[in-house]
Amino acid sequence: MTNRIQRRVTITTIAREAGVSVSTVSKVLNGRADVADGTRTRVEELLDKHSYPRARRRGSDPAGLIDLVFDELDSPWAVEII
C-alpha cells in the first residue's frame, strides 16, 4: 500500500495543467462566454478529473433568481426589497 499525501488542488493548479491563466479558469468556473470552446473543454475536464469543488454556475438558473440575506427584516430598505 502506498502512503500518499493528497494535495489540495487549487485554481492555480488547474490553470498550470491546462496551460492557461488563473483568470481563464475563473471565467470557466463562472460560466463566462469569452473563453474558446477548446480551452473551456480542457479546463472543465481538469476540473472534473481533480473533483474541483464548483458552486452553482451563473446562468444555470433559467429564472434568473438570486439569493438575498437580511439581518433586519423590519428595516424600510429590507421591506422595500422584499
Side-chain angles (χ1 to χ4, degrees):
M1 178 183 247
T2 305
N3 186 9
R4 291 175 47 184
I5 298 174
Q6 187 173 5
R7 292 181 53 201
R8 185 177 192 184
V9 175
T10 65
I11 193 170
T12 303
T13 306
I14 300 295
R16 190 176 304 123
E17 285 189 36
V20 298
S21 68
V22 170
S23 63
T24 298
V25 176
S26 178
K27 288 177 182 182
V28 171
L29 286 168
N30 288 300
R32 297 257 312 261
D34 55 341
V35 178
D37 292 339
T39 302
R40 179 179 307 282
T41 300
R42 190 166 66 248
V43 170
E44 286 180 341
E45 286 172 354
L46 286 167
L47 292 168
D48 292 340
K49 173 185 169 188
H50 291 291
S51 301
Y52 190 87
R54 299 190 228 187
R56 187 174 62 184
R57 291 184 176 168
R58 285 186 202 166
S60 64
D61 185 359
L65 301 177
I66 59 171
D67 295 325
L68 295 175
V69 178
F70 295 97
D71 61 346
E72 295 180 38
L73 293 177
D74 59 348
S75 74
W77 183 82
V79 171
E80 187 172 334
I81 296 295
I82 294 170

